[in-house]
Amino acid sequence: MVKNSRIGILAGGNWILDFIKMIDVYPNENALANIISQNSGNGGAPFNVLKAIRKMDFSIPLEGVGVLGDDEFGDDILDQCERLGLETRQMKRLKGVETSFTDVMTVCSTGKRTFFHHRGANALLEEDDFDFEVSKAKFFHLGYLLLLDNLDRIHEDGLSGAAKVLRRAKEAGMITSADIVSEQSDRYTEVIPSSLPFIDFLFINELEAHNLTEIQLLDADNVFLISNGFKAAKKILDMGVLSWVVIHFPNGALALNKEGHQILQPCIKMPKKLVKGTVGAGDAFAAGVLAGMHEGWEMEASLQLGVNVAASSLMDNTASEAILPWMECLQLGNKFGYRKL
């Protein structure tokens, strides 16, 4: 772990309000589904990660950077940030633009989610909106790549806007991490690679890892292929990631670093009756890992915290409301045990 005098976590990227609708079935086109209940909550990588860390009860200075519309949704996000004690001096309001939001359709019986996203203000986030000179944060987390229109644009020098932002964060002395959105496209190999040489910790799921590497990660029964997961992580490291590639999948997570150190961490056997939804579970996992790494934990302990925090997030249909203090999160693993991989 790189040591420096900085402290805290700065997170930037997509700031979203999620409108979560619990439905009885996901319908075919022109068919009907019933909304059983609905709720709203935080969404987007920086919002989810920072709120999760605050709810874990770590005394880590937390800062956000992003753009919001000059509307009631933007007011809501800033009000939540104030209540959470998040520093918002780099949160910018844009007149005549709507704050980004997502309608999340979650099937009650399976927890599977389908997202209908309005890109809104996040699409206008620019490189100049990030000021690393005013921040004393140790870590900078950026997400989501592929869902930030201006930052996903490739410039004449071959670098995306996100790559340039991450490079500036590194030059300022920060430890960088990033997350990717799961989209059905062929943009992964076009947009993502130029950012990788400026990322210390890359968080990626099995779908995203497959799309980036073209390595098959699921068998015919949709079971994650662990050996292929480590091959994908190695390929991504060879593409430039500086320290660790962390791949999370439904039954656990794996991590591989530049020195070839492999870690496999199964997820918790959460009772089905306790699972209310999976919205934000990936960000909750990343929040646990980042909090552990910020506090100087080894990756093994940080991954274990990550899967425990993700498990606690499942107990509500919003991204973060059910997240417990970190020591209580770790008790979930002791209480319910871990899956076999």
Side-chain angles (χ1 to χ4, degrees), residues 292-328:
M293 299 302 286
H294 181 277
E295 298 299 275
W297 299 10
E298 296 295 331
M299 179 58 82
E300 287 87 349
S302 298
L303 280 182
Q304 185 178 55
L305 178 60
V307 298
N308 278 267
V309 176
S312 74
S313 78
L314 303 179
M315 295 187 287
D316 189 81
N317 63 7
T318 62
S320 308
E321 290 305 322
I323 292 175
L324 301 166
W326 69 270
M327 285 185 286
E328 294 181 37

Side-chain angles (χ1 to χ4, degrees), residues 270-276 315 336:
M270 287 292 286
K272 188 175 180 180
K273 64 182 180 181
L274 294 181
V275 178
K276 306 302 181 185
M315 295 187 287
F336 298 119

Side-chain angles (χ1 to χ4, degrees), residues 21-35:
K21 297 172 176 61
M22 305 299 296
I23 58 177
D24 58 350
V25 64
Y26 191 81
N28 295 322
E29 289 188 49
N30 295 320
L32 179 142
N34 292 297
I35 298 173

Side-chain angles (χ1 to χ4, degrees), residues 2 62 108 123 137 140 147 153 174 195 232 235 238 250 268 275 282 291 306 312 319-320 331 341:
V2 177
L62 302 176
C108 293
F140 170 60
L147 197 58
R153 188 173 298 115
M174 292 182 173
S195 291
K235 186 171 182 178
D238 290 342
I268 293 173
V275 178
S312 74
S320 308
Q331 291 172 9
L341 294 176

Side-chain angles (χ1 to χ4, degrees), residues 200-246:
D200 291 294
F201 301 99
L202 179 68
F203 295 94
I204 190 168
N205 69 21
E206 76 280 8
L207 169 66
E208 298 152 3
H210 166 71
N211 288 339
L212 184 56
T213 66
E214 298 183 344
I215 294 174
Q216 189 65 38
L217 296 180
L218 300 176
D219 67 13
D221 297 317
N222 283 327
V223 175
F224 185 79
L225 300 168
I226 292 171
S227 62
N228 283 11
F230 282 115
K231 290 178 183 176
K234 174 64 164 58
K235 186 171 182 178
I236 297 169
L237 282 167
D238 290 342
M239 294 169 72
V241 172
L242 297 169
S243 187
W244 288 92
V245 171
V246 180

